[in-house]
């Protein structure tokens, strides 16, 4: 729902998740080795606990191909569950009402619809390999552009203004997943 501090909260979330994922990408493989986890179990651990897909891939394949494959599969399964979670959140928000004067949100955001449609299309095997590869390359460029745009928009004093509670919540959630 619309909120006066929505942009700041979104920026804080993106920056915080990226920072914690990068830290996890370095620390979690060391922890997996210290705990003596085999390649499969380490992959499940990495894929289930690191927030960002890119850091999961980096951490997993940094350990071994098998760990990377397992970590990537587990993370993509987590990503796939986002569509039903988003749907639930939107239904809850629509039932609870709208913010003062605000419009009700769409049933599903277009990015989630596009994501589900592209996953389904790519899973059919009908797309030529060069089209899937080009789409993957294009998506990486869009991700880089989006992160660069967020970086251009972000000011550290704005992020610091969110206070300690959101930081503790994000760190606590990261530790809980681990």
């Amino acid at each position: 729902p619309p909120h006066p501090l929505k942009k700041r909260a979104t920026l804080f979330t993106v920056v915080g998740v990226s920072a914690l994922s990068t830290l996890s990408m370095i620390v979690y493989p060391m922890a997996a080795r210290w705990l003596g986890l085999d390649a499969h179990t380490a992959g499940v651990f990495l894929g289930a606990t690191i927030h960002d897909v890119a850091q999961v891939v980096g951490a997993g394949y940094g350990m071994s191909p098998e760990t990377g494959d397992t970590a990537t599969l587990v993370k993509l399964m987590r990503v796939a569950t986002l569509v039903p979670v988003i749907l639930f959140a939107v239904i809850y928000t629509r039932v609870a009402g709208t913010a003062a004067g605000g419009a009700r949100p769409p049933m599903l955001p277009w990015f989630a619809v596009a994501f589900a449609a592209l996953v389904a299309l790519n899973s059919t095997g009908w797309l030529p390999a060069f089209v899937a590869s080009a789409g993957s390359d294009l998506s990486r460029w869009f991700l880089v552009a989006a992160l660069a745009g967020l970086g251009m928009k972000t000011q550290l004093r704005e992020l610091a203004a969110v206070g300690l509670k959101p930081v503790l919540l994000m760190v606590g959630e990261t530790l809980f997943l681990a």
Side-chain angles (χ1 to χ4, degrees):
H3 187 274
L5 300 176
K6 186 175 184 175
K7 285 184 182 180
R8 184 177 75 183
T10 302
L11 284 173
F12 167 76
T13 301
V14 170
V15 170
V17 165
S18 294
L20 289 169
S21 291
T22 301
L23 181 63
S24 299
M25 178 180 74
I26 296 164
V27 173
Y28 287 5
M30 291 188 292
R33 286 190 177 102
W34 182 75
L35 292 169
L37 301 180
D38 62 49
H40 176 77
T41 306
V44 171
F45 170 66
L46 297 173
T49 58
I50 298 176
H51 300 299
D52 282 341
V53 174
Q55 282 88 341
V56 168
V57 170
Y61 285 107
M63 290 187 73
S64 75
E66 182 185 352
T67 302
D69 289 348
T70 303
T72 302
L73 177 64
V74 170
K75 179 60 182 174
L76 291 178
M77 290 174 64
R78 283 180 60 201
V79 169
T81 64
L82 286 176
V83 172
V85 169
I86 291 169
L87 185 60
F88 173 79
V90 169
I91 289 170
Y92 176 79
T93 302
R94 289 171 68 100
V95 168
T98 61
R104 288 169 47 157
M107 213 42 180
L108 274 176
W110 285 111
F111 78 87
V113 173
F115 171 79
L118 290 171
V119 166
L121 179 63
N122 195 40
S123 297
T124 64
W126 296 341
L127 289 178
F130 77 92
V131 172
S133 178
S136 180
D137 291 343
L138 184 62
S139 73
R140 277 193 286 281
W141 278 105
F142 282 143
L143 179 61
V144 168
L147 289 175
L150 283 171
M152 294 291 291
K153 211 171 154 176
T154 303
Q155 294 183 10
L156 290 178
R157 69 175 164 263
E158 275 188 54
L159 294 178
V162 299
L164 187 59
K165 285 183 183 179
V167 172
L168 292 176
L169 176 65
M170 192 174 284
V171 170
E173 186 266 342
T174 300
L175 293 173
F176 175 77
L177 281 177

